[in-house]
């Protein structure tokens, strides 16, 4: 039989989460963000999000795949194009592309397209990654509106710190200044802004990622526990071995855990090569046959060790939830000093995937 670890992708949960997002912003259009292979869920596994108004991603090959599978609604390339010749593909498949660099503008000026395309003009809002400086907005806007290859322009920005109220207020003020006196479409809000800083007076499109997959943009499950999201990914396995240890015995590489009293230990078929966080410490929550317990010792490449004190009936073959419906991915990520985003995207290709429709 196959190794027992498995990742279950719940398409019903994805559809449910989209409906929750829709209820939070009923008047706006939604970009369902499916970059990073749909946050590790598999781009081929998220068609239950088809009620969205558009898909946003990075790779032009994935955009073409969506079109060839019958997706007719908008597709946004979040990082834009990487070579001028990509514009021919964008034209052919009627994709929306982000524009964030002068060379991209020159490419649009110099190429002959069959049809004008929609663009998202990326302005650097303080992340200092991609985007034009805000002082250049007027000049660039006035240049782009006269390019024959452009159908329409949407202003795109990204808030770098939604926990800092003064920075959020500055962010909104900058938006007001940029669009003042213009009939300007905007895509401003991500998941965090949608939840905690409603910008409905600016947005026509919101870009939603992590909420669709049932985790929190803050990394704290408690922050979204009141909006009824459902985890879309469950990572589960089984106990494949049991050790009964005496006081003073040690567990794992580097003798990282010392047994303080006689203790039963379960060995689970899951390790960092499966995508479980390498730095998850002793105490990270785990569920065994419905009973809450925790990790002990160091995470190995292929196995973890867990305390079975609270699981007296646990045996070889007992079911283990690493994250999912009960053990929230945000809880595991927080214990390991990272985010749910990271764990989703780190799911290893060797982990089999089961789809719940």
């Amino acid at each position: 039989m196959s190794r027992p670890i498995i990742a279950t992708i719940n398409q019903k949960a994805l559809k449910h989460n989209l409906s929750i997002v829709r209820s939070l912003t009923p008047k706006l259009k939604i970009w369902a963000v499916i970059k990073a292979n749909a946050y590790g869920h598999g781009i081929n596994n998220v068609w239950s999000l088809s009620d969205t108004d558009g898909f946003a991603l990075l790779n032009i090959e994935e955009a073409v795949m969506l079109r060839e599978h019958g997706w007719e609604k908008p597709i946004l390339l979040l990082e834009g194009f990487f070579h001028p010749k990509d514009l021919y593909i964008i034209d052919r498949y009627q994709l929306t592309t982000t524009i964030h660099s002068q060379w991209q503008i020159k490419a649009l000026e110099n190429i002959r397209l069959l049809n004008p395309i929609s663009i998202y003009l990326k302005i650097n809002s303080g992340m200092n990654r991609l985007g034009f400086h805000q002082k250049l907005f007027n000049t660039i806007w006035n240049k782009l509106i006269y390019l024959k290859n452009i159908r329409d322009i949407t202003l795109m920005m990204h808030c770098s710190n939604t926990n800092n109220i003064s920075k959020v207020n500055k962010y909104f003020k900058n938006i007001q200044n940029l669009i003042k006196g213009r009939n300007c479409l905007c895509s401003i809000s991500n998941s965090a802004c949608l939840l905690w800083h409603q910008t409905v007076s600016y947005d026509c499109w919101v870009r939603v990622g992590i909420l669709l997959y049932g985790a929190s943009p803050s990394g704290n499950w408690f922050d979204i526990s009141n909006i009824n999201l459902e985890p879309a990914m469950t990572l589960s396995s089984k106990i494949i071995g049991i050790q009964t240890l005496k006081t003073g015995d040690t567990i794992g590489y580097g003798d990282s855990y010392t047994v303080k009293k006689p203790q039963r230990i379960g060995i689970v078929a899951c390790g960092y090569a499966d995508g479980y966080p390498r730095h998850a410490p002793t105490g990270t929550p785990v569920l065994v046959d419905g009973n809450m317990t925790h990790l002990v010792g160091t995470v190995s490449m292929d196995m973890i060790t867990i305390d079975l004190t609270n699981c007296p009936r646990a045996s070889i073959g007992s079911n283990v939830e690493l994250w999912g419906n009960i053990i929230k991915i945000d809880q595991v990520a927080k214990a390991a000093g990272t985010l749910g985003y990271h764990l989703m995207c780190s799911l290893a290709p060797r982990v089999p995937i089961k789809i719940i429709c």
Side-chain angles (χ1 to χ4, degrees):
M1 294 180 67
S2 299
R3 188 164 173 262
I5 191 169
I6 191 166
T8 302
I9 306 301
N10 189 335
Q11 294 184 332
K12 292 181 180 178
L14 288 167
K15 188 172 184 177
H16 167 81
N17 293 342
L18 177 59
S19 71
I20 295 295
V21 170
R22 184 76 73 187
S23 70
L24 294 173
T25 178
K27 296 182 180 180
L28 306 181
K29 292 185 177 181
I30 297 170
W31 289 115
V33 180
I34 56 172
K35 63 181 180 177
N37 198 25
Y39 286 46
H41 292 67
I43 198 167
N44 289 314
N45 301 326
V46 296
W47 287 104
S48 57
L49 293 173
S50 60
D51 287 341
T52 188
D53 300 293
F55 282 127
L57 40 67
L58 299 186
N59 297 330
I60 200 167
E61 295 84 1
E62 291 176 337
V64 170
M65 183 273 290
L66 290 176
R67 284 284 187 250
E68 292 181 344
H69 279 73
W71 181 257
E72 297 181 350
K73 289 188 278 188
I75 300 175
L76 171 63
L77 299 173
L78 288 164
E79 289 182 358
F81 56 93
F82 303 98
H83 191 279
K85 290 183 179 180
D86 292 340
L87 284 166
Y88 292 123
I89 301 175
I90 291 169
D91 178 17
R92 178 182 176 184
Y93 290 96
Q94 280 300 285
L95 309 177
T96 300
T97 182
T98 298
I99 299 294
H100 55 77
S101 298
Q102 290 286 356
W103 76 264
Q104 292 173 319
I105 296 177
K106 290 181 180 179
L108 277 167
E109 288 178 308
N110 296 329
I111 202 165
R112 179 175 292 182
L113 302 178
L114 295 177
N115 303 287
I117 61 175
S118 297
I119 69 166
Y120 268 47
L121 176 58
K122 184 70 175 286
I123 300 299
N124 182 358
S125 59
M127 287 284 280
N128 292 311
R129 299 186 306 184
L130 299 179
F132 297 99
H133 195 283
Q134 295 175 33
K135 292 180 180 179
L136 298 175
F137 175 74
N138 288 335
T139 301
I140 293 172
W141 179 275
N142 291 332
K143 183 176 187 177
L144 292 177
I145 59 176
Y146 292 109
L147 291 187
K148 63 182 180 179
N149 283 326
I150 295 177
R151 175 186 294 115
D152 52 63
I153 307 170
T154 299
L155 171 66
M156 180 183 185
M157 294 174 67
H158 192 85
C159 189
S160 62
N161 189 347
T162 56
N163 294 322
N164 186 324
I165 297 301
S166 62
K167 200 159 191 177
V168 171
N169 290 336
K170 181 180 178 181
Y171 175 66
F172 292 161
K173 184 176 181 180
N174 288 341
I175 295 165
Q176 285 181 315
N177 292 335
L178 290 176
I179 67 175
K180 187 176 181 180
R182 287 189 173 88
N183 183 18
C184 179
L185 301 176
C186 294
S187 179
I188 303 302
S189 294
N190 56 9
S191 292
C193 279
L194 177 62
L195 284 178
W196 301 308
H197 308 288
Q198 291 282 338
T199 60
V200 293
S201 59
Y202 309 119
D203 280 311
C204 55
W205 284 84
V206 293
R207 307 184 305 275
V208 183
I210 195 70
L211 292 180
L212 297 175
Y213 306 101
S216 174
S218 70
N220 294 311
W221 170 255
F222 179 78
D223 291 341
I224 60 169
S225 60
N226 63 334
I227 60 172
N228 197 32
L229 294 176
E230 298 176 1
M233 177 192 291
T234 296
L235 183 64
S236 59
S237 189
K238 293 183 183 293
I239 292 175
I240 60 171
I242 292 179
Q243 298 286 347
T244 301
L245 304 182
K246 63 183 185 299
T247 302
D249 285 343
T250 59
I251 297 173
Y253 289 111
D255 298 336
S256 59
Y257 179 83
T258 301
V259 176
K260 296 180 174 59
K261 60 182 179 180
Q263 191 173 8
R264 273 177 94 228
I265 300 297
I267 294 82
V268 180
C270 176
Y272 60 77
D274 300 298
Y276 196 82
R278 168 68 175 80
H279 298 293
T282 293
T284 301
V286 178
L287 196 74
V288 177
D289 285 341
N291 297 304
M292 192 73 70
T293 185
H294 60 267
L295 181 77
V296 291
T298 303
V299 175
S300 300
M301 181 181 289
D302 308 306
M303 289 173 278
I304 60 172
T305 45
I306 60 174
D307 179 23
L308 296 181
T309 302
N310 296 331
C311 313
R313 296 184 180 180
S315 60
I316 291 176
S318 287
N319 295 316
V320 178
E321 181 182 293
L322 287 315
W323 63 69
N325 290 323
I326 305 300
I327 306 294
K328 306 304 182 186
I329 196 169
D330 290 325
Q331 295 174 294
V332 178
K334 187 174 183 179
T338 186
L339 294 171
Y341 298 80
H342 183 197
L343 300 193
M344 291 178 186
C345 295
S346 297
L347 184 70
R350 77 177 191 176
V351 177
I353 291 178
K354 174 184 176 183
I355 305 298
I356 297 178
C357 299

